[in-house]
Amino acid sequence: MAQNQPVVLKGLMDDWRACKDWVSPTGKPNLHFFSTHFGKSKVQVADCGTREFTDQKRIEMTVAEFVDHWLRVSAADKGNDSNGDWHFVKEYPEYNAYRTPMDFSDDWLNFYLDKFRMHNDPDTYSERNEISCSDYRFVYMGSKGTWTPLHADVFRSYSWSANVCGKKQWYFLSPSQHRLVFDRNMKSSVYNIFADVSQSIFPEFEKSIWWECTQEENEVIFVPSGWYHQVHNLEDTISINHNWFNGYNLSWVWDLLLKDYNEASEYIEDLKGCEDFEELCQRNLAANTGMNFYDFFIFIVRFTFANVVLLHTLSHGKKETSQEPSESMQHIYFNLEAIRSISVKMKPINAGDRQGVLLDLRKNLEDHSFIELCAAVGKTYELIHDQDEMTPALLQCTDSLFTSLVRSQVQSSEDLVAFIDDALTIY
């Protein structure tokens, strides 16, 4: 993770149910299985031949409708021009189609979204769209010739993509070369690297150096933070994809939010004298980026609380005070240091204070969703470090937590830094 470079991994999918159920005896996608078992599910379908702003035009279909379209176009030998994706795990949590590779399991984003919404503003969140807003775990289906335009992943997260069947061609551009695919004002980027790219608009595009990779069936590719990439399906393909972030790439998320915030405030600069200018900036930021400062601040505070609860649980279970910290404890120290580093960067912004938010560890411990978040993170760290020491004791020692901590409330990034410092000093 720390190297932040693309990697192809093999041997991680051998026991996946998806590799059996979703693939026909010929090695092609088992479209009949999808239509029969998941036909009523709604999916977002991208029309690869039609551009809409910076992405492909998207429409909503049922899985059955998408499969019918795929088969109809293929039978006419016209070449399919659509690929679909949907939030499979959220709709079918009991199906167990696959297991997240252990190296990618420290997934703060989806841990959190399993229990909380990232953004609760009714003007930018639709209850009707709950499934599509609820996580960043996707199943993608696309026929030969379909493709995804050049982009960097949401929140500048990591992603992993596992080919259940089919073959993909990837084109990567390292973060150090991003400027080469942007216009002079760094506002818009190249849409398709194989199109006739205008030299007058993108004067440095021809200097870009691309990393190329062919991803085969049963291979998993790790996509690092901030790497722009374009992807082409060389065969009919089904893949499973997650976006996620954790302590290693949290700084990428904050840097993106700050950049997008500055752009949002510049865009409505003529309204700067208005009383609700800041609120407008934050609403635009949430609409365009998927979260705003307020959402991010609540996210990192809750994750700080969860890590401190787990650290207290582990410390409570140590037999001797002189005992070396376990790998799980070292992992949590790293997490807290990463959050502290971002909190220091946020101090000039006062993201929580300006929104009037106050988070209290005591109240969070009374929230069943928060306890489930702690348990999910704790269980994952037990598996990562092969240590069975945390989850059973989680609820037994929370009462003693407050006798150890100096403070339990956080309202600003400065409060959060102090809270983390207290915890690191105690444990």
Side-chain angles (χ1 to χ4, degrees), residues 12 37 43 50 87 99 113 137 154 159 228 256 287 299 342 345 349 353 368 387 394 398 407 419:
L12 301 178
H37 291 81
V43 296
T50 305
H87 298 252
R99 189 169 53 221
L113 291 175
R137 295 176 287 225
V154 61
S159 69
Y228 274 74
L256 175 69
F299 172 89
I342 301 303
K345 290 182 179 180
I349 306 296
D353 193 37
H368 186 65
Q387 296 173 322
L394 184 61
T398 53
R407 71 193 78 223
F419 180 86

PDB file of all heavy atoms in Angstrom, residues 12 37 43 50 87 99 113 137 154 159 228 256 287 299 342 345 349 353 368 387 394 398 407 419:
ATOM      1  N   LEU A  12      -5.996 -15.754  -5.689  1.00  0.00           N
ATOM      2  CA  LEU A  12      -6.855 -15.251  -4.616  1.00  0.00           C
ATOM      3  C   LEU A  12      -8.327 -15.601  -4.811  1.00  0.00           C
ATOM      4  O   LEU A  12      -9.141 -15.346  -3.928  1.00  0.00           O
ATOM      5  CB  LEU A  12      -6.727 -13.725  -4.519  1.00  0.00           C
ATOM      6  CG  LEU A  12      -5.335 -13.166  -4.242  1.00  0.00           C
ATOM      7  CD1 LEU A  12      -5.373 -11.640  -4.218  1.00  0.00           C
ATOM      8  CD2 LEU A  12      -4.801 -13.696  -2.916  1.00  0.00           C
ATOM      9  N   HIS A  37     -31.554 -15.457 -11.466  1.00  0.00           N
ATOM     10  CA  HIS A  37     -31.410 -15.292 -10.020  1.00  0.00           C
ATOM     11  C   HIS A  37     -31.444 -13.844  -9.544  1.00  0.00           C
ATOM     12  O   HIS A  37     -31.821 -13.575  -8.398  1.00  0.00           O
ATOM     13  CB  HIS A  37     -30.103 -15.942  -9.552  1.00  0.00           C
ATOM     14  CG  HIS A  37     -30.100 -17.433  -9.639  1.00  0.00           C
ATOM     15  ND1 HIS A  37     -29.861 -18.108 -10.827  1.00  0.00           N
ATOM     16  CD2 HIS A  37     -30.332 -18.379  -8.702  1.00  0.00           C
ATOM     17  CE1 HIS A  37     -29.932 -19.409 -10.605  1.00  0.00           C
ATOM     18  NE2 HIS A  37     -30.217 -19.602  -9.333  1.00  0.00           N
ATOM     19  N   VAL A  43     -29.647  -1.941 -12.149  1.00  0.00           N
ATOM     20  CA  VAL A  43     -28.233  -1.681 -12.417  1.00  0.00           C
ATOM     21  C   VAL A  43     -28.084  -0.396 -13.205  1.00  0.00           C
ATOM     22  O   VAL A  43     -28.981   0.005 -13.945  1.00  0.00           O
ATOM     23  CB  VAL A  43     -27.570  -2.851 -13.197  1.00  0.00           C
ATOM     24  CG1 VAL A  43     -27.569  -4.107 -12.364  1.00  0.00           C
ATOM     25  CG2 VAL A  43     -28.267  -3.094 -14.529  1.00  0.00           C
ATOM     26  N   THR A  50     -21.790   7.014 -26.033  1.00  0.00           N
ATOM     27  CA  THR A  50     -22.352   8.347 -25.837  1.00  0.00           C
ATOM     28  C   THR A  50     -21.726   9.028 -24.630  1.00  0.00           C
ATOM     29  O   THR A  50     -21.823   8.520 -23.511  1.00  0.00           O
ATOM     30  CB  THR A  50     -23.881   8.277 -25.638  1.00  0.00           C
ATOM     31  OG1 THR A  50     -24.468   7.578 -26.739  1.00  0.00           O
ATOM     32  CG2 THR A  50     -24.482   9.665 -25.532  1.00  0.00           C
ATOM     33  N   HIS A  87     -24.577  -2.657  -7.059  1.00  0.00           N
ATOM     34  CA  HIS A  87     -24.102  -2.871  -5.689  1.00  0.00           C
ATOM     35  C   HIS A  87     -24.579  -4.237  -5.219  1.00  0.00           C
ATOM     36  O   HIS A  87     -25.507  -4.360  -4.421  1.00  0.00           O
ATOM     37  CB  HIS A  87     -24.629  -1.766  -4.784  1.00  0.00           C
ATOM     38  CG  HIS A  87     -24.168  -0.399  -5.160  1.00  0.00           C
ATOM     39  ND1 HIS A  87     -23.239   0.303  -4.425  1.00  0.00           N
ATOM     40  CD2 HIS A  87     -24.490   0.405  -6.208  1.00  0.00           C
ATOM     41  CE1 HIS A  87     -23.020   1.485  -4.987  1.00  0.00           C
ATOM     42  NE2 HIS A  87     -23.773   1.560  -6.071  1.00  0.00           N
ATOM     43  N   ARG A  99     -14.793 -13.524  -1.388  1.00  0.00           N
ATOM     44  CA  ARG A  99     -14.217 -13.078  -0.130  1.00  0.00           C
ATOM     45  C   ARG A  99     -13.191 -11.997  -0.444  1.00  0.00           C
ATOM     46  O   ARG A  99     -12.310 -12.201  -1.286  1.00  0.00           O
ATOM     47  CB  ARG A  99     -13.557 -14.257   0.586  1.00  0.00           C
ATOM     48  CG  ARG A  99     -13.120 -13.953   2.010  1.00  0.00           C
ATOM     49  CD  ARG A  99     -12.734 -15.227   2.759  1.00  0.00           C
ATOM     50  NE  ARG A  99     -11.737 -16.000   2.006  1.00  0.00           N
ATOM     51  CZ  ARG A  99     -11.757 -17.317   1.895  1.00  0.00           C
ATOM     52  NH1 ARG A  99     -12.731 -18.021   2.430  1.00  0.00           N
ATOM     53  NH2 ARG A  99     -10.821 -17.935   1.207  1.00  0.00           N
ATOM     54  N   LEU A 113     -19.847   2.662   5.705  1.00  0.00           N
ATOM     55  CA  LEU A 113     -21.111   2.756   4.973  1.00  0.00           C
ATOM     56  C   LEU A 113     -22.046   1.582   5.248  1.00  0.00           C
ATOM     57  O   LEU A 113     -23.240   1.675   4.971  1.00  0.00           O
ATOM     58  CB  LEU A 113     -20.829   2.868   3.471  1.00  0.00           C
ATOM     59  CG  LEU A 113     -20.178   4.192   3.048  1.00  0.00           C
ATOM     60  CD1 LEU A 113     -19.830   4.162   1.570  1.00  0.00           C
ATOM     61  CD2 LEU A 113     -21.085   5.370   3.351  1.00  0.00           C
ATOM     62  N   ARG A 137     -18.917  -1.255  -3.383  1.00  0.00           N
ATOM     63  CA  ARG A 137     -18.616  -2.628  -3.795  1.00  0.00           C
ATOM     64  C   ARG A 137     -19.506  -2.931  -4.993  1.00  0.00           C
ATOM     65  O   ARG A 137     -20.731  -2.857  -4.888  1.00  0.00           O
ATOM     66  CB  ARG A 137     -18.894  -3.606  -2.640  1.00  0.00           C
ATOM     67  CG  ARG A 137     -17.986  -3.410  -1.456  1.00  0.00           C
ATOM     68  CD  ARG A 137     -18.344  -4.314  -0.298  1.00  0.00           C
ATOM     69  NE  ARG A 137     -19.556  -3.861   0.353  1.00  0.00           N
ATOM     70  CZ  ARG A 137     -19.711  -3.769   1.677  1.00  0.00           C
ATOM     71  NH1 ARG A 137     -18.725  -4.107   2.483  1.00  0.00           N
ATOM     72  NH2 ARG A 137     -20.842  -3.363   2.196  1.00  0.00           N
ATOM     73  N   VAL A 154     -13.068   7.453  -7.270  1.00  0.00           N
ATOM     74  CA  VAL A 154     -13.821   8.263  -6.322  1.00  0.00           C
ATOM     75  C   VAL A 154     -13.038   8.448  -5.021  1.00  0.00           C
ATOM     76  O   VAL A 154     -12.397   7.518  -4.528  1.00  0.00           O
ATOM     77  CB  VAL A 154     -15.189   7.591  -6.035  1.00  0.00           C
ATOM     78  CG1 VAL A 154     -15.010   6.200  -5.427  1.00  0.00           C
ATOM     79  CG2 VAL A 154     -16.071   8.454  -5.152  1.00  0.00           C
ATOM     80  N   SER A 159      -8.544   0.989  -5.306  1.00  0.00           N
ATOM     81  CA  SER A 159      -9.557   0.032  -5.745  1.00  0.00           C
ATOM     82  C   SER A 159      -8.885  -1.283  -6.080  1.00  0.00           C
ATOM     83  O   SER A 159      -7.678  -1.331  -6.328  1.00  0.00           O
ATOM     84  CB  SER A 159     -10.357   0.558  -6.940  1.00  0.00           C
ATOM     85  OG  SER A 159      -9.578   0.638  -8.107  1.00  0.00           O
ATOM     86  N   TYR A 228      -4.612   7.859 -12.671  1.00  0.00           N
ATOM     87  CA  TYR A 228      -5.636   7.886 -13.716  1.00  0.00           C
ATOM     88  C   TYR A 228      -5.513   6.605 -14.543  1.00  0.00           C
ATOM     89  O   TYR A 228      -4.416   6.086 -14.763  1.00  0.00           O
ATOM     90  CB  TYR A 228      -5.465   9.120 -14.602  1.00  0.00           C
ATOM     91  CG  TYR A 228      -6.170  10.336 -14.055  1.00  0.00           C
ATOM     92  CD1 TYR A 228      -5.664  11.019 -12.955  1.00  0.00           C
ATOM     93  CD2 TYR A 228      -7.354  10.779 -14.613  1.00  0.00           C
ATOM     94  CE1 TYR A 228      -6.316  12.123 -12.428  1.00  0.00           C
ATOM     95  CE2 TYR A 228      -8.023  11.893 -14.102  1.00  0.00           C
ATOM     96  CZ  TYR A 228      -7.497  12.550 -13.012  1.00  0.00           C
ATOM     97  OH  TYR A 228      -8.154  13.640 -12.489  1.00  0.00           O
ATOM     98  N   LEU A 256      -8.036  15.771  -1.940  1.00  0.00           N
ATOM     99  CA  LEU A 256      -9.070  15.937  -2.975  1.00  0.00           C
ATOM    100  C   LEU A 256     -10.189  16.847  -2.480  1.00  0.00           C
ATOM    101  O   LEU A 256     -10.644  17.744  -3.208  1.00  0.00           O
ATOM    102  CB  LEU A 256      -9.641  14.579  -3.384  1.00  0.00           C
ATOM    103  CG  LEU A 256     -10.804  14.641  -4.381  1.00  0.00           C
ATOM    104  CD1 LEU A 256     -10.330  15.117  -5.749  1.00  0.00           C
ATOM    105  CD2 LEU A 256     -11.508  13.300  -4.489  1.00  0.00           C
ATOM    106  N   ALA A 287     -22.275  17.352  -3.320  1.00  0.00           N
ATOM    107  CA  ALA A 287     -22.930  16.927  -4.558  1.00  0.00           C
ATOM    108  C   ALA A 287     -21.921  16.477  -5.600  1.00  0.00           C
ATOM    109  O   ALA A 287     -22.151  15.515  -6.333  1.00  0.00           O
ATOM    110  CB  ALA A 287     -23.785  18.070  -5.108  1.00  0.00           C
ATOM    111  N   PHE A 299     -16.706  11.314   9.880  1.00  0.00           N
ATOM    112  CA  PHE A 299     -16.131  10.008   9.536  1.00  0.00           C
ATOM    113  C   PHE A 299     -14.843   9.746  10.321  1.00  0.00           C
ATOM    114  O   PHE A 299     -14.694   8.690  10.942  1.00  0.00           O
ATOM    115  CB  PHE A 299     -15.869   9.955   8.022  1.00  0.00           C
ATOM    116  CG  PHE A 299     -15.105   8.747   7.567  1.00  0.00           C
ATOM    117  CD1 PHE A 299     -15.766   7.586   7.228  1.00  0.00           C
ATOM    118  CD2 PHE A 299     -13.715   8.770   7.489  1.00  0.00           C
ATOM    119  CE1 PHE A 299     -15.071   6.462   6.810  1.00  0.00           C
ATOM    120  CE2 PHE A 299     -13.002   7.656   7.082  1.00  0.00           C
ATOM    121  CZ  PHE A 299     -13.689   6.491   6.742  1.00  0.00           C
ATOM    122  N   ILE A 342      -3.872  14.123   9.456  1.00  0.00           N
ATOM    123  CA  ILE A 342      -4.899  14.824   8.662  1.00  0.00           C
ATOM    124  C   ILE A 342      -5.573  15.900   9.501  1.00  0.00           C
ATOM    125  O   ILE A 342      -5.851  17.007   9.015  1.00  0.00           O
ATOM    126  CB  ILE A 342      -5.945  13.822   8.142  1.00  0.00           C
ATOM    127  CG1 ILE A 342      -5.287  12.752   7.273  1.00  0.00           C
ATOM    128  CG2 ILE A 342      -7.037  14.549   7.356  1.00  0.00           C
ATOM    129  CD1 ILE A 342      -4.510  13.292   6.095  1.00  0.00           C
ATOM    130  N   LYS A 345      -3.685  19.039   9.506  1.00  0.00           N
ATOM    131  CA  LYS A 345      -3.888  19.771   8.247  1.00  0.00           C
ATOM    132  C   LYS A 345      -5.233  20.498   8.225  1.00  0.00           C
ATOM    133  O   LYS A 345      -5.385  21.538   7.578  1.00  0.00           O
ATOM    134  CB  LYS A 345      -3.826  18.806   7.054  1.00  0.00           C
ATOM    135  CG  LYS A 345      -2.470  18.226   6.755  1.00  0.00           C
ATOM    136  CD  LYS A 345      -2.552  17.338   5.515  1.00  0.00           C
ATOM    137  CE  LYS A 345      -1.210  16.739   5.160  1.00  0.00           C
ATOM    138  NZ  LYS A 345      -1.296  15.881   3.948  1.00  0.00           N
ATOM    139  N   ILE A 349      -9.019  24.959   8.802  1.00  0.00           N
ATOM    140  CA  ILE A 349     -10.361  24.912   8.218  1.00  0.00           C
ATOM    141  C   ILE A 349     -11.439  24.839   9.291  1.00  0.00           C
ATOM    142  O   ILE A 349     -12.548  25.337   9.118  1.00  0.00           O
ATOM    143  CB  ILE A 349     -10.492  23.672   7.290  1.00  0.00           C
ATOM    144  CG1 ILE A 349      -9.374  23.670   6.241  1.00  0.00           C
ATOM    145  CG2 ILE A 349     -11.841  23.629   6.623  1.00  0.00           C
ATOM    146  CD1 ILE A 349      -9.420  24.831   5.285  1.00  0.00           C
ATOM    147  N   ASP A 353     -16.010  22.422  13.778  1.00  0.00           N
ATOM    148  CA  ASP A 353     -16.463  23.552  14.562  1.00  0.00           C
ATOM    149  C   ASP A 353     -17.370  24.474  13.754  1.00  0.00           C
ATOM    150  O   ASP A 353     -18.388  24.967  14.241  1.00  0.00           O
ATOM    151  CB  ASP A 353     -15.234  24.315  15.069  1.00  0.00           C
ATOM    152  CG  ASP A 353     -15.584  25.313  16.156  1.00  0.00           C
ATOM    153  OD1 ASP A 353     -16.460  24.986  16.966  1.00  0.00           O
ATOM    154  OD2 ASP A 353     -14.985  26.393  16.178  1.00  0.00           O
ATOM    155  N   HIS A 368     -25.936   1.235  18.694  1.00  0.00           N
ATOM    156  CA  HIS A 368     -25.680  -0.138  18.256  1.00  0.00           C
ATOM    157  C   HIS A 368     -24.869  -0.162  16.959  1.00  0.00           C
ATOM    158  O   HIS A 368     -24.011  -1.037  16.773  1.00  0.00           O
ATOM    159  CB  HIS A 368     -27.007  -0.875  18.066  1.00  0.00           C
ATOM    160  CG  HIS A 368     -26.864  -2.327  17.766  1.00  0.00           C
ATOM    161  ND1 HIS A 368     -26.327  -3.235  18.665  1.00  0.00           N
ATOM    162  CD2 HIS A 368     -27.151  -3.054  16.645  1.00  0.00           C
ATOM    163  CE1 HIS A 368     -26.304  -4.437  18.129  1.00  0.00           C
ATOM    164  NE2 HIS A 368     -26.790  -4.356  16.904  1.00  0.00           N
ATOM    165  N   GLN A 387      -4.798 -13.037  15.137  1.00  0.00           N
ATOM    166  CA  GLN A 387      -4.846 -12.909  16.600  1.00  0.00           C
ATOM    167  C   GLN A 387      -6.300 -12.877  17.055  1.00  0.00           C
ATOM    168  O   GLN A 387      -7.080 -12.052  16.576  1.00  0.00           O
ATOM    169  CB  GLN A 387      -4.148 -11.619  17.057  1.00  0.00           C
ATOM    170  CG  GLN A 387      -2.658 -11.602  16.748  1.00  0.00           C
ATOM    171  CD  GLN A 387      -2.024 -10.269  17.058  1.00  0.00           C
ATOM    172  OE1 GLN A 387      -2.614  -9.222  16.844  1.00  0.00           O
ATOM    173  NE2 GLN A 387      -0.797 -10.294  17.558  1.00  0.00           N
ATOM    174  N   LEU A 394     -14.935  -6.958  23.677  1.00  0.00           N
ATOM    175  CA  LEU A 394     -15.233  -5.597  23.245  1.00  0.00           C
ATOM    176  C   LEU A 394     -16.219  -4.897  24.164  1.00  0.00           C
ATOM    177  O   LEU A 394     -15.994  -3.772  24.605  1.00  0.00           O
ATOM    178  CB  LEU A 394     -15.774  -5.617  21.812  1.00  0.00           C
ATOM    179  CG  LEU A 394     -16.050  -4.262  21.172  1.00  0.00           C
ATOM    180  CD1 LEU A 394     -14.768  -3.449  21.087  1.00  0.00           C
ATOM    181  CD2 LEU A 394     -16.639  -4.457  19.786  1.00  0.00           C
ATOM    182  N   THR A 398     -15.809  -1.529  28.054  1.00  0.00           N
ATOM    183  CA  THR A 398     -16.074  -0.145  27.664  1.00  0.00           C
ATOM    184  C   THR A 398     -16.398   0.740  28.861  1.00  0.00           C
ATOM    185  O   THR A 398     -16.151   1.943  28.836  1.00  0.00           O
ATOM    186  CB  THR A 398     -17.229  -0.087  26.650  1.00  0.00           C
ATOM    187  OG1 THR A 398     -18.360  -0.796  27.188  1.00  0.00           O
ATOM    188  CG2 THR A 398     -16.834  -0.694  25.319  1.00  0.00           C
ATOM    189  N   ARG A 407     -10.742  13.279  28.020  1.00  0.00           N
ATOM    190  CA  ARG A 407     -11.895  13.899  27.364  1.00  0.00           C
ATOM    191  C   ARG A 407     -12.640  12.848  26.550  1.00  0.00           C
ATOM    192  O   ARG A 407     -12.070  11.838  26.152  1.00  0.00           O
ATOM    193  CB  ARG A 407     -11.439  15.053  26.470  1.00  0.00           C
ATOM    194  CG  ARG A 407     -10.714  14.623  25.228  1.00  0.00           C
ATOM    195  CD  ARG A 407     -10.019  15.789  24.552  1.00  0.00           C
ATOM    196  NE  ARG A 407      -8.783  16.127  25.234  1.00  0.00           N
ATOM    197  CZ  ARG A 407      -8.382  17.365  25.500  1.00  0.00           C
ATOM    198  NH1 ARG A 407      -9.119  18.386  25.132  1.00  0.00           N
ATOM    199  NH2 ARG A 407      -7.246  17.583  26.123  1.00  0.00           N
ATOM    200  N   PHE A 419      -7.570  14.627  21.567  1.00  0.00           N
ATOM    201  CA  PHE A 419      -8.148  13.337  21.953  1.00  0.00           C
ATOM    202  C   PHE A 419      -7.209  12.192  21.576  1.00  0.00           C
ATOM    203  O   PHE A 419      -6.967  11.272  22.369  1.00  0.00           O
ATOM    204  CB  PHE A 419      -9.503  13.162  21.262  1.00  0.00           C
ATOM    205  CG  PHE A 419     -10.204  11.871  21.585  1.00  0.00           C
ATOM    206  CD1 PHE A 419     -11.009  11.760  22.703  1.00  0.00           C
ATOM    207  CD2 PHE A 419     -10.046  10.758  20.762  1.00  0.00           C
ATOM    208  CE1 PHE A 419     -11.643  10.553  23.009  1.00  0.00           C
ATOM    209  CE2 PHE A 419     -10.675   9.559  21.053  1.00  0.00           C
ATOM    210  CZ  PHE A 419     -11.483   9.451  22.175  1.00  0.00           C
TER     211      PHE A 419
END
